[in-house]
Amino acid sequence: MAAEISLGRADATKFDSEDPIASARHEFYIPSRAEITQNEKVASPDAPSLYLCGNSLGLQPKLTRQLIDEELNVWAKNGVYGHFRHPNSRPWVTIDETVTSTMAAIVGAKKEEVAVMGTLTMNLHILMAAFYKPVKERYKIIIEHKAFPSDHYAVESQIQMHDLSVDEALVTIKPPANSKFLPTDYILSVIKEHASTTALLLLPGVQYYTGQAFEIQKITAYAKSLGIIVGWDLAHAAGNLDLRLHDWDVDFAAWCSYKYLNAGPGGIGGLFVHENQSKRPRLTGWWAHEVKSRFIMDNQMKVQPGAAGFQLSNPSVLDTIALLGSLTVFEKYTMKALRTKSVALTGYLETLLLSRFPDRPFSILTPSDPEQRGAQLSLAFESGMMDEINQVLQDNGVTCDERRPDVLRVAPTPLYNSFEDVWAFVDELRKAVDVVVARRNGRGART
């Protein structure tokens, strides 16, 4: 698509004209500059804003409002009967079946290995309750250094629930000297060092802070060869990377749906349990019971086969339908096609950044190898600059995600971002940096 990168806006427009999935953008609401800034006086108020923040919250698919309105109408007009008699053939009692097949395809799993339920951290707890079984010889959990706080807290609490010492049972993999991320060989070396005492390895598919994509297949195979259970947090990987959870023999995984899966703030989560692991003892609830006899209510548990047997209670209908709005768009494209565009978009972003910033007041924390990153570049600015630069960007209708004190995460998302978006972002960033530098130097920005 963009094999020979050029730097002009006309080239970005050309790349967009050659993009086979460019039409996906029209399936989403792109906030205008006035809407995103909440300022009607912003320049070009009606023009689309530059939204490169899908790694934090994906944009709203246009279908979502229609689907949610339909469910609200069913609730208003049919009340409790919507559980079984649904005018749109989406009975609430099996609402998760509307999304499970597509969700399984996105993460590279069999339908029976996926359950759409709960939220990410809750699902991690449910899974660790089943998979983390510490014994005297094997009791450690290995995670990455500076994991997302919710993951870190969840793991700590699981260790404490087993009356173990966090200091002794938690291993965090810190980057080696002179590295901004975690090379795969280094990860494997830490696993090897602790293998004989480790019960569980839990890593992210994509590290939220650096944007590094981990080699899931290689790491999983190595850890499992040493007798370690392997789980993955795919919050930043589901809908971003081309995953093959079943083929890679992953034991379990969990993810959220509000980032690259565009299901809305606090959207419903998902989990994966490999078919070889689905009979493990686990925490259960009503919705783990087989569907055909669930309402007999004789308190004789008959667990559903597969990942569905890990469900606790009925999923939120509105949250599930919001996810359906996005997955309906995903069904029109393959993850391979989305990943191909993503690699091109992120590569284009990197090329423009390196070309337009010879002075470079930032370093790129994310690996330069396309196979080791998703749809994100993390820019670490010189001390104290990021907040000022980000404020200038926001005032001009540009949305990225900040991680204080100094990191700006930029995520061109293939479903709704274009090459022209990327070009325009780098242009706006150049202007914002000039404004901040000039402000600090006590003079006007250069033109």
Side-chain angles (χ1 to χ4, degrees), residues 16 153 223 248 331 356 397 430:
D16 284 330
Y153 303 150
W248 296 342
E331 287 176 347
R356 292 289 304 275
R430 178 71 267 180

Side-chain angles (χ1 to χ4, degrees), residues 105-275:
I106 287 172
V107 299
K110 295 183 178 181
K111 178 182 178 182
E112 296 76 18
E113 295 174 319
V114 168
V116 175
M117 56 181 278
T119 54
L120 174 55
T121 304
M122 185 190 84
N123 289 343
L124 284 174
H125 274 301
I126 290 170
L127 290 165
M128 283 191 283
F131 284 90
Y132 179 49
K133 303 294 183 182
V135 295
K136 182 178 180 180
E137 297 79 16
R138 287 180 177 264
Y139 56 93
K140 294 177 181 177
I141 300 179
I142 300 175
I143 63 175
E144 90 273 24
H145 181 60
K146 291 189 176 179
F148 191 79
S150 195
D151 287 23
H152 191 102
Y153 303 150
V155 168
E156 280 191 338
S157 65
Q158 286 285 331
I159 290 171
Q160 292 164 341
M161 287 288 288
H162 288 277
D163 295 321
L164 296 171
S165 165
V166 171
D167 289 340
E168 295 177 0
L170 180 60
V171 177
T172 61
I173 310 176
K174 297 181 180 180
N178 302 317
S179 178
K180 300 170 186 174
F181 49 90
L182 296 170
T184 298
D185 287 346
Y186 181 74
I187 294 173
L188 301 185
S189 72
V190 175
I191 293 171
K192 182 178 180 180
E193 178 185 353
H194 295 275
S196 63
T197 53
T198 296
L200 173 65
L201 172 69
L202 179 63
L203 293 175
V206 174
Q207 215 282 335
Y208 84 100
Y209 189 78
T210 66
Q212 176 187 359
F214 287 72
E215 293 188 71
I216 297 175
Q217 182 178 15
K218 186 174 182 178
I219 295 170
T220 298
Y222 184 76
K224 293 191 68 168
S225 74
L226 298 174
I228 300 171
I229 291 290
V230 181
W232 293 90
D233 175 345
L234 302 176
H236 286 263
N240 181 7
L241 302 182
D242 191 6
L243 302 168
R244 296 286 184 272
L245 298 185
H246 175 83
D247 293 344
W248 296 342
D249 202 26
V250 168
D251 290 317
F252 72 86
W255 56 90
C256 58
S257 64
Y258 48 83
K259 300 180 186 296
Y260 297 102
L261 294 175
N262 315 302
I268 196 163
L271 61 77
F272 164 89
V273 177
H274 198 282
E275 62 181 0

Side-chain angles (χ1 to χ4, degrees), residues 278-322:
S278 64
K279 295 184 179 180
R280 281 179 165 262
R282 82 293 300 269
L283 299 173
T284 58
W286 191 19
W287 240 244
H289 197 286
E290 67 177 14
V291 177
K292 66 181 180 181
S293 60
R294 183 181 290 157
F295 284 86
I296 293 178
M297 299 187 181
D298 60 2
N299 288 352
Q300 300 297 312
M301 171 60 80
K302 297 178 181 177
V303 179
Q304 291 194 70
F310 284 75
Q311 296 180 99
L312 299 183
S313 56
N314 53 321
S316 163
V317 170
L318 297 183
D319 284 338
T320 305
I321 285 301

